[in-house]
Amino acid sequence: ASNPRCSRKQASHLKQKSFPRIMIALNKIKNFQSRLLNWYDNQKREMPWRNNRDPYRILVSEFMLQQTQVKTVIPYFKKWMESFPTTKKLASASESNVLKHWEGLGYYSRARNLLKSAIQIQRDFAGKVPNSLHEILKLPGVGRYTAGAVLSIAFDKRVPVLDGNVKRVLSRLMLLNENGNTQKSETRLWGTMERLLPEKDCGDFNQAFMDLGATVCLPKNPFCKECPLKQLCKARQSGKQKLFPPKKTAAKISKIQVSTGVIFKKGYVYIQKRKAEGLLGGLWEFPGGKMQTGETEKECLRREIREELGINIRIGEKIMTHHHSYTRFRVTLHVFQCQIHSGKFFPAECDEWKWVKPEELNQFPFPAANVKIIKFLTKNAN
């Protein structure tokens, strides 16, 4: 309903004041779309999932690409597709086998959700990745970005994507003071991207945006002279590339000291499986835990082993000190060789446990921080 106190002239002024940058972009939208798609045809990056439009291959790649760089994903993707070339093959795989294929890629909930999605696709969608936004969002681990990527690339649906690269290009292109750090900012960026989509070739358009951000419109020192949109970019015209998008508040990085025990018994090594619902759930590990204030490395290990396994241990030589980084914390892992000394062995803090030969450790999925330990043990076992 119109506001009787607001004249037509005032209403027009308010509209222009609220959305001036988006309105300007829309006036040049055909030119913008043409420039970007032509650039993509000539400059797109070679990736194994771009060889065809198989929805399953694209779904797998998008799960792997969440918070992970392309160059890291490519070897994992190739190995994955050799073992699980179809949703049917993946749906019949064990969680342990799936996690082993994901080992070292991080954010393991993605692997478990991908397995659950394959099972659901087989059960509810006759083995075919759903091609509607409503249905694909029902799959575990599929959010708005992944849904948009799969639907646009595999089915050419007119659905936007919004990742860090896209946000940066949008912000600079239109001088949008947005970084997606708030719900309001995120909503505006999604809306802007949706307005820019062409009627067809939406998958190429979305991928062009992402490639442009990954290879040209870099966070620092962007290659503006090589950009196909340089004549349309307001940040370049005003020399403000470094000011957009506005920086997010850096998350505080926590430093954690952890003591870990490799417990030997008659040539076998003890390993345990982390509880499914926790961090790194479903992966195997060596026992141990965080050092408390005032504890030494060995005091921490004795306490943790006693709490986890109900036994006292003899701590032998230190195998290694290993540093490993996660998104919001840095772990220093102190690893010791151990033997059981006394007490009733009763693992109570895990879903499953085993005694295995060192050369058998490679059969189990471990967190990346443990892989170096396994390499040391298998090397010394041979």
Side-chain angles (χ1 to χ4, degrees), residues 356-367:
V356 300
K357 294 181 180 179
E359 57 267 29
E360 296 173 337
L361 289 169
N362 284 321
Q363 300 174 18
F364 300 87
F366 280 82

Side-chain angles (χ1 to χ4, degrees), residues 283-332:
L283 298 179
W284 292 81
E285 66 175 0
F286 302 100
K290 300 178 187 177
M291 290 172 56
Q292 296 180 355
T293 304
E295 277 187 325
T296 65
E297 297 166 9
K298 292 184 177 181
E299 287 172 346
C300 167
L301 186 56
R302 289 191 181 95
R303 174 184 54 77
E304 286 286 341
I305 298 299
R306 190 164 51 247
E307 292 174 357
E308 291 183 28
L309 307 180
I311 58 172
N312 297 307
I313 55 172
R314 292 191 184 95
I315 301 177
E317 66 179 27
K318 190 172 190 178
I319 295 175
M320 68 179 66
T321 298
H322 177 55
H323 303 281
H324 192 76
S325 297
Y326 296 87
T327 304
R328 294 186 178 178
F329 52 95
R330 305 287 180 265
V331 174
T332 299

Side-chain angles (χ1 to χ4, degrees), residues 49-83:
W49 49 88
R50 286 180 173 175
N51 296 337
N52 59 55
R53 291 178 179 262
D54 176 12
Y56 169 66
R57 289 171 65 88
I58 295 168
L59 182 69
V60 171
S61 71
E62 291 302 332
F63 265 83
M64 289 186 170
L65 287 166
Q66 293 169 12
Q67 301 186 25
T68 308
Q69 293 182 341
V70 169
K71 64 180 180 180
T72 302
V73 166
I74 287 176
Y76 281 91
F77 178 83
K78 290 179 178 179
K79 182 180 177 183
W80 184 279
M81 295 310 300
E82 289 174 359
S83 299

Side-chain angles (χ1 to χ4, degrees), residues 196-242:
L196 294 174
L197 282 172
E199 293 300 320
K200 61 179 182 177
D201 297 323
C202 294
D204 284 355
F205 184 84
N206 283 334
Q207 290 179 99
F209 240 105
M210 292 186 281
D211 275 16
L212 189 67
T215 63
V216 177
C217 194
L218 304 177
K220 297 180 180 180
N221 303 317
F223 301 112
C224 294
K225 291 182 179 180
E226 300 176 18
C227 181
L229 307 178
K230 59 187 175 184
Q231 294 178 342
L232 306 174
C233 180
K234 293 193 172 184
R236 181 178 183 273
Q237 292 169 7
S238 59
K240 296 181 179 179
Q241 297 94 316
K242 294 183 180 180

